[in-house]
């Protein structure tokens, strides 16, 4: 059974940094892409970044480009989201997702598996 477990969320001041982790298990992800989405209560879940498991190709949303970096450690079966220069508008629950290669990476329905999320709160 596929499991995606996020960790690393918390409270940080504006301008600070956090690194989120997503531990993936239950299958081989060699033909998958893993992604981060975020959601604020009352709003749609939005794409943040994605990475292909095998090649490491990355896709990053324009709203976080230059501040957030996605990476993966194949040996540890873990995907990371390094978040720098955080802003109050980055406050959200951050979710890890996994889906097959070749899908439209910024679309929610491209992903078959989801974690339960980790809360990031950025204070001003």
């Amino acid at each position: 059974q596929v499991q995606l477990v996020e960790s690393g969320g918390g409270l940080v001041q504006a301008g600070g940094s956090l690194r989120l982790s997503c531990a993936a298990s239950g299958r081989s992800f060699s033909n998958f892409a893993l992604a981060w989405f975020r959601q604020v209560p009352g709003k749609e879940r939005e794409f943040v970044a994605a990475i292909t498991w095998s090649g490491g190709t990355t896709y990053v949303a324009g709203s976080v480009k230059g501040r957030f970096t996605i990476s993966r450690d194949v040996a540890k079966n873990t995907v990371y989201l390094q978040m720098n220069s955080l802003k109050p508008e980055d406050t959200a629950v951050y979710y890890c997702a996994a889906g097959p290669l070749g899908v439209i990476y910024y679309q929610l329905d491209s992903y078959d598996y989801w974690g339960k999320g980790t809360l990031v709160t950025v204070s001003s």
Side-chain angles (χ1 to χ4, degrees):
Q1 184 174 347
V2 173
Q3 277 197 312
L4 302 174
V5 180
E6 303 96 334
S7 61
L11 174 64
V12 64
Q13 285 191 330
S17 298
L18 277 177
R19 189 176 80 158
L20 305 183
S21 299
C22 171
S25 61
R27 64 161 298 145
S28 168
F29 292 95
S30 58
N31 292 318
F32 272 65
L34 276 82
W36 289 96
F37 284 76
R38 65 185 183 185
Q39 188 170 24
V40 175
K43 292 192 175 181
E44 287 190 358
R45 197 169 293 190
E46 67 169 351
F47 172 76
V48 176
I51 187 167
T52 60
W53 192 254
S54 293
T57 303
T58 60
Y59 306 84
V60 182
S63 58
V64 303
K65 208 162 196 174
R67 300 190 297 122
F68 291 12
T69 303
I70 188 170
S71 62
R72 88 274 189 251
D73 185 328
V74 174
K76 294 184 178 180
N77 256 27
T78 300
V79 175
Y80 303 100
L81 185 68
Q82 178 66 43
M83 306 186 295
N84 298 329
S85 302
L86 282 161
K87 304 175 182 180
E89 51 263 44
D90 295 318
T91 295
V93 177
Y94 284 72
Y95 296 90
C96 181
L101 283 177
V103 296
I104 300 174
Y105 294 117
Y106 55 83
Q107 287 189 343
L108 280 173
D109 58 8
S110 294
Y111 296 89
D112 301 318
Y113 307 104
W114 291 85
K116 294 183 179 180
T118 185
L119 176 63
V120 171
T121 304
V122 184
S123 63
S124 55

